[in-house]
Amino acid sequence: MNNFFIKKFFYGDIPEEKGGGSDYQTKHDSTSWPLWEVFIRSKQGLDHKHAGSLHAADAQMAIENARDVYTRRMEGVSIWVVESKYITASNPEEAGELYEPAADKIYRHPTFYQLPDEVNHM
Amino acid sequence: MPVQNFEELFQQKIDNEIKIEPKDWMPDAYRKTNIRQISQHAHSEIVGMLPEGNWISRAPSLKRKAILIAKVQDEAGHGLYLYSAAETLGMSRDEMINDLHSGKAKYSSIFNYPSLTWADMGAIGWLVDGAAILNQVMLCRTSYGPYARAMVRICKEESFHQRQGFETLLVLSRGTEEQKAMCQDAINRWWWPSLMMFGPRDSESTNSDQSMKWKIKRKTNDELRQNFIDMIAEQIKVLGMTLPDPALKWNEERKHYDFGEIDWNEFWNVVKGNGPCNKQRINARRKAHEDGQWVREAAMAYAEKKQSKTKAA
């Protein structure tokens, strides 16, 4: 691996070795709140869309926090929350095998069919 | 696949403007740099609430108070977007908070300056948020997906911050002699620290800039700083105020404003913890966290109790 040192930094990026610090230790939270994923419907008729995530003790609090964090400017009319641990995601490293079956089926697209101009609005 | 291939593939994606997502392979240094940068950016939002929170109870009118509360609430929200983005890289929220409280992680040194008068609320909105926006607009195109998405959301909300800041100063600049003097004084005190927000000069960097190659950042410190100066030097004319730099002058050849030397000693001193408010800021954060401990515990206990009741029923 490259072992370089990134010297430049800017707003919100100050290298640790220049910063100092102390050995202060935050009292460990015996109970840290679980992580939730937030999905928001921005208006009636549209799908819920992933907006981000947040920590909350339970579902009710997750919805209330999502209201404060993600809809301060009327960005939503409905909120879904689900604990992040219940989401199963596909593995990017298996993307090749997973999506390959669709790659050679161009006949699934309407443009595959050449039709006479008379019916070109079909 | 050997590591080399992974790295080549990774760089190819970056070169082709394909965003990197949490589960994708990435070099360790890319992960570390992003964790550091995003979490420190988050800390900046959270600590940034303190100088302004200082004036909520003393805002000159109910309107100004409501605006200031909304703005401070936005900063909290921005901190949360960014913490979540950093968490996708595998660092826990607890660790990040602890690093802030121990001083290991930094936040923008601008928030270590005190907010002495009401005019500071205007100067912070106009200059500090103005400088932040230039960085943030660039970061909307950063290569790490969750960071870029958080920045898009933040930028949408941030423009209100800068506009309200300018308007606050505009009102003062048209007020009594005392108000005008207060306005000029705030600008004088916030101008140089704002320029420092962009970080050291490009010439300070000796290595090839990996952050640029990975498209974590897309403009250099000096480029952004110059953009900022060119913008503010024009806007200040509307206020009828001046910037505290005798060397500030339009350069027809460069098509940019020339400006005086920044006091880098002061900059490093503040970064290292010797600014006017470093201790105060960290103590305020630690206290807030410690005082909130019982609330976090109680909420969790309540949630668990509720859940066990539902199960029993």
Side-chain angles (χ1 to χ4, degrees):
Chain A
M1 292 298 295
N2 289 343
N3 201 6
F4 39 71
F5 161 50
I6 297 165
K7 256 198 162 173
K8 264 189 214 172
F9 65 94
F10 60 111
Y11 183 59
D13 182 26
I14 293 168
E16 285 158 16
E17 64 283 355
K18 288 238 186 185
S22 69
D23 45 17
Y24 174 88
Q25 184 69 37
T26 306
K27 245 193 292 166
H28 187 67
D29 275 27
S30 47
T31 49
S32 64
W33 292 350
L35 189 66
W36 300 74
E37 298 301 320
V38 179
F39 300 82
I40 296 196
R41 186 202 295 285
S42 56
K43 64 176 197 188
Q44 293 294 114
L46 294 183
D47 292 325
H48 283 78
K49 199 175 149 201
H50 186 237
S53 51
L54 48 75
H55 290 270
D58 59 21
Q60 186 58 35
M61 187 196 266
I63 285 184
E64 281 160 15
N65 287 355
R67 190 264 324 260
D68 290 343
V69 177
Y70 293 106
T71 66
R72 285 193 305 283
R73 288 174 177 77
M74 324 228 319
E75 293 97 334
V77 294
S78 165
I79 299 174
W80 285 351
V81 293
V82 59
E83 248 193 273
S84 309
K85 68 178 179 193
Y86 294 123
I87 290 192
T88 309
S90 61
N91 184 348
E93 273 150 43
E94 289 160 10
E97 302 92 285
L98 197 57
Y99 305 112
E100 190 278 332
D104 61 354
K105 296 179 179 61
I106 48 169
Y107 45 82
R108 281 179 170 156
H109 296 277
T111 45
F112 177 76
Y113 304 93
Q114 294 297 320
L115 300 182
D117 285 352
E118 289 81 354
V119 291
N120 66 2
H121 288 304
M122 187 182 283
Chain B
M1 243 192 305
V3 168
Q4 192 55 36
N5 285 357
F6 276 116
E7 279 209 56
E8 270 168 33
L9 278 173
F10 174 82
Q11 190 60 49
Q12 263 172 29
K13 272 199 207 167
I14 302 256
D15 294 343
N16 293 327
E17 300 291 330
I18 295 173
K19 298 279 187 228
I20 307 302
E21 295 296 344
K23 294 184 90 183
D24 294 346
W25 186 92
M26 62 187 86
D28 274 351
Y30 178 86
R31 183 183 299 276
K32 273 191 197 141
T33 303
N34 264 299
I35 287 180
R36 190 185 67 231
Q37 186 173 316
I38 301 169
S39 66
Q40 294 186 4
H41 195 160
H43 298 327
S44 300
E45 299 285 352
I46 298 299
V47 177
M49 294 195 284
L50 297 172
E52 292 178 305
N54 183 31
W55 280 91
I56 289 177
S57 60
R58 287 176 282 160
S61 68
L62 188 57
K63 173 184 137 189
R64 293 290 172 191
K65 184 186 239 177
I67 292 171
L68 193 55
I69 291 173
K71 180 172 187 287
V72 172
Q73 193 191 14
D74 273 355
E75 314 289 5
H78 298 174
L80 289 176
Y81 303 154
L82 289 161
Y83 280 132
S84 325
E87 278 172 281
T88 63
L89 289 160
M91 191 181 202
S92 77
R93 182 78 62 97
D94 282 350
E95 274 178 279
M96 286 186 259
I97 303 281
N98 193 66
D99 283 353
L100 170 66
H101 294 177
S102 75
K104 185 180 169 217
K106 297 294 150 190
Y107 52 88
S108 186
S109 52
I110 191 88
F111 301 117
N112 288 316
Y113 290 86
S115 49
L116 302 177
T117 69
W118 169 252
D120 287 19
M121 296 304 98
I124 289 176
W126 178 42
L127 297 174
V128 177
D129 290 322
I133 288 169
L134 281 180
N135 265 315
Q136 289 170 341
V137 166
M138 163 190 81
L139 287 171
C140 289
R141 292 164 55 236
T142 193
S143 59
Y144 186 57
Y147 193 19
R149 292 192 286 274
M151 291 320 306
V152 169
R153 205 178 284 279
I154 289 173
C155 283
K156 271 189 206 155
E157 302 181 347
E158 198 80 45
S159 77
F160 131 65
H161 296 184
Q162 198 190 11
R163 290 172 68 101
Q164 69 83 33
F166 190 81
E167 197 234 17
T168 298
L169 293 183
L170 193 61
V171 170
L172 290 173
S173 74
R174 291 169 179 172
T176 63
E177 283 311 309
E178 230 182 337
Q179 286 170 323
K180 283 180 193 167
M182 201 205 284
C183 179
Q184 181 64 58
D185 166 66
I187 293 167
N188 290 350
R189 281 182 292 108
W190 289 95
W191 172 245
W192 291 106
S194 302
L195 294 189
M196 294 176 197
M197 281 175 71
F198 297 98
R201 272 186 307 229
D202 296 344
S203 55
E204 297 277 300
S205 175
T206 48
N207 300 343
S208 69
D209 190 343
Q210 190 65 38
S211 281
M212 293 285 270
K213 192 175 164 228
W214 278 338
K215 298 186 182 170
I216 296 175
K217 66 183 285 192
R218 288 170 175 263
K219 281 184 176 182
T220 71
N221 297 350
D222 284 343
E223 279 175 287
L224 286 168
R225 186 163 21 239
Q226 185 70 62
N227 289 352
F228 178 70
I229 291 168
D230 292 347
M231 185 175 79
I232 298 298
E234 290 300 319
Q235 291 171 354
I236 193 141
K237 294 176 187 167
V238 182
L239 293 176
M241 299 280 146
T242 56
L243 292 169
D245 179 2
L248 188 79
K249 204 171 138 240
W250 176 252
N251 183 327
E252 187 56 37
E253 215 173 287
R254 287 199 314 128
K255 299 283 177 203
H256 286 296
Y257 276 89
D258 290 335
F259 54 97
E261 190 54 41
I262 291 167
D263 183 354
W264 294 112
N265 264 340
E266 176 182 325
F267 174 77
W268 286 117
N269 259 321
V270 179
V271 169
K272 282 176 186 151
N274 304 319
C277 297
N278 293 56
K279 287 203 176 64
Q280 196 184 329
R281 302 288 185 239
I282 287 299
N283 286 341
R285 287 312 315 154
R286 286 178 183 175
K287 185 174 183 306
H289 192 74
E290 284 163 11
D291 290 354
Q293 175 87 16
W294 72 271
V295 180
R296 290 191 296 277
E297 284 171 0
M300 204 62 220
Y302 177 70
E304 276 159 10
K305 192 173 154 192
K306 236 179 21 181
Q307 209 178 15
S308 63
K309 264 192 188 162
T310 347
K311 268 186 196 151

